[in-house]
């Protein structure tokens, strides 16, 4: 029953997945244009314009995670994660694999 899901636990799970994949994401962001990643994530509403203007792996990841602060309904959390993963799908290449892997880890 989705109405009884503890959203704080869902967010903790997402934070753990991001923490576990931090080094891999940092490496991935270095394989291409960090600007492209930042542009896609800004368009998706994941990062701020300041982060997009001067992106780093850490600021992108931290901005994504800070987006959960005011999300307390499962539907909001799922929608936000979908936007994040869809931005990765738009970039294509190894970003698709990264999105699929993180999405699977979160769903488990």
């Amino acid at each position: 029953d989705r109405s009884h899901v503890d959203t704080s636990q869902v967010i903790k799970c997402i934070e753990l997945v991001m923490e576990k994949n931090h080094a891999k994401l940092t490496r991935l962001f270095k394989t291409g244009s960090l600007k492209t990643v930042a542009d896609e994530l800004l368009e998706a509403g994941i990062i701020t314009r300041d982060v997009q203007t001067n992106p780093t792996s850490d600021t992108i990841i931290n901005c994504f995670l800070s987006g959960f602060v005011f999300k307390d309904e499962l539907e909001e959390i799922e929608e936000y994660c979908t936007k994040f993963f869809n931005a990765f799908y738009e970039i294509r290449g190894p970003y698709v694999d990264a999105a699929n892997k993180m999405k699977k880890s979160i769903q488990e």
Side-chain angles (χ1 to χ4, degrees):
D1 182 13
R2 292 170 54 91
S3 64
H4 292 91
V5 172
D6 182 352
T7 55
S8 65
Q9 292 296 343
V10 173
I11 292 169
K12 280 183 184 165
C13 172
I14 294 166
E15 289 171 344
L16 285 172
V17 168
M18 294 302 290
E19 186 178 309
K20 179 180 167 191
N21 289 288
H22 189 277
K24 291 177 185 176
L25 284 170
T26 299
R27 191 174 331 127
L28 180 62
F29 291 158
K30 290 179 181 177
T31 64
S33 170
L34 200 52
K35 182 82 171 110
T36 301
V37 174
D39 290 347
E40 288 293 338
L41 291 172
L42 177 71
E43 190 176 316
I46 301 295
I47 64 171
T48 63
R49 188 160 309 284
D50 285 345
V51 171
Q52 184 255 353
T53 303
N54 189 20
T56 67
S57 298
D58 286 342
T59 57
I60 288 172
I61 293 167
N62 289 333
C63 201
F64 168 65
L65 291 175
S66 70
F68 291 105
V69 171
F70 293 103
K71 295 189 181 1
D72 54 9
E73 293 180 23
L74 187 59
E75 187 176 299
E76 293 174 313
I77 294 166
E78 288 175 338
E79 183 179 304
Y80 185 66
C81 286
T82 297
K83 288 179 182 180
F84 180 75
F85 295 132
N86 284 346
F88 274 45
Y89 295 140
E90 285 296 318
I91 299 166
R92 296 192 168 67
Y95 287 88
V96 172
D97 293 335
N100 288 338
K101 185 73 169 179
M102 288 185 293
K103 194 175 187 178
K104 184 179 177 188
S105 293
I106 291 169
Q107 290 170 340
E108 291 172 355

